[in-house]
Amino acid sequence: MPSARLYVDGFNLYRRCLESKPHLKWLDLAALGRYLMPDYRIDHVHYFTAHLRPGLLVDPQSPVRQQMYLRALTAQPDVSVHLGTFRNDRRQMPVHPQTVDPTTGKWVTTAVRKLEEKGSDVNLGTRMTADAFTSAADVFVMLSNDSDLAGTLRMLKHEFGFRVGIIFPMPSSRSSKELVKTEPDFMAHITDEALAACQFPKQLRDGKGVFHCPPKWA
């Protein structure tokens, strides 16, 4: 079987697919790759995310659950986790509906807190390109719906002749047209059936001992 490497945009997967499905968040990404790509041997999964920062989220237990999930991933020998950063910036943004201040002639703005994950798309594209040029696998598959990554796919396939694929974290009707236009060699969409079939066992073990799926996800 030809080999494949899978590159997972963690926050895109969460927002587009898992956010409203807590019972499906204990997801075995290597198993998901095998489920969606039965004609390939998944030899490694690269997962790109950033640590959630305590105190910035409505649910204070969210960072704890994330750490437990990252522990589950790193307990697998064929999975690597790559971390970006999670920023909390104070910004002045125009109010909605937009209003012009009659005194200054400028848009009326208000102070907002902007939470933003940085670095994962760059890290993903860089890792995927490096693996392609070192012949780490036969096909390189991205799991994301982020159109900012279209350039990486287009370059690898059309400029250098590498085989690439995309797994979209949503139904085909909502897939990024920019990513589809890259004409990947492989394309799939995640379904609830696939998610349900690819959950970790509720109890796992690593070098530190036994740990469990977070109760809120059980």
Side-chain angles (χ1 to χ4, degrees):
M1 297 173 70
S3 61
R5 289 207 165 189
L6 181 59
Y7 306 83
V8 180
D9 181 344
F11 276 103
N12 198 268
L13 171 63
Y14 177 80
R15 294 189 191 103
R16 299 288 187 174
C17 182
L18 297 174
E19 187 170 12
S20 62
K21 303 169 185 175
H23 62 296
L24 298 175
K25 290 180 179 179
W26 196 234
L27 181 61
D28 183 339
L29 295 173
L32 181 67
R34 292 190 294 270
Y35 186 96
L36 296 174
M37 304 178 64
D39 297 328
Y40 295 86
R41 184 184 76 256
I42 309 299
D43 70 359
H44 205 84
V45 176
H46 292 280
Y47 181 76
F48 301 85
T49 189
H51 287 311
L52 298 174
R53 293 172 59 182
L56 298 182
L57 304 166
V58 173
D59 184 351
Q61 290 299 307
S62 291
V64 178
R65 290 193 295 272
Q66 184 198 40
Q67 291 304 311
M68 195 60 65
Y69 182 61
L70 294 180
R71 183 178 176 185
L73 290 179
T74 55
Q76 316 307 309
D78 53 355
V79 178
S80 299
V81 172
H82 306 263
L83 296 173
T85 58
F86 198 72
R87 295 186 55 177
N88 173 32
D89 296 326
R90 186 178 184 277
R91 303 278 183 89
Q92 288 293 131
M93 304 290 289
V95 299
H96 181 78
Q98 289 182 319
T99 305
V100 175
D101 185 326
T103 304
T104 65
K106 298 180 179 180
W107 295 117
V108 175
T109 63
T110 188
V112 299
R113 185 180 70 176
K114 185 174 183 181
L115 302 178
E116 194 172 17
E117 187 265 339
K118 303 289 288 185
S120 287
D121 53 352
V122 174
N123 292 340
L124 189 156
T126 302
R127 181 72 264 159
M128 191 174 184
T129 300
D131 284 353
F133 277 93
T134 55
S135 301
D138 297 309
V139 63
F140 306 91
V141 181
M142 175 187 300
L143 194 167
S144 182
N145 194 54
D146 187 350
S147 59
D148 288 346
L149 294 167
T152 298
L153 289 178
R154 191 177 298 111
M155 176 191 68
L156 291 176
K157 177 176 174 61
H158 296 289
E159 293 186 38
F160 297 104
F162 294 109
R163 297 180 65 201
V164 300
I166 307 174
I167 296 175
F168 292 102
M170 73 262 285
S172 58
S173 61
R174 296 166 53 207
S175 301
S176 163
K177 292 181 175 58
E178 287 301 310
L179 290 175
V180 173
K181 287 178 183 177
T182 64
E183 301 176 332
D185 300 280
F186 171 87
M187 193 158 55
H189 297 82
I190 294 178
T191 63
D192 284 357
E193 179 184 16
L195 295 173
C198 300
Q199 297 293 299
F200 282 122
K202 298 301 182 184
Q203 177 176 295
L204 292 171
R205 180 185 294 274
D206 62 8
K208 298 179 180 179
V210 174
F211 60 102
H212 301 82
C213 173
K216 194 169 182 177
W217 295 357

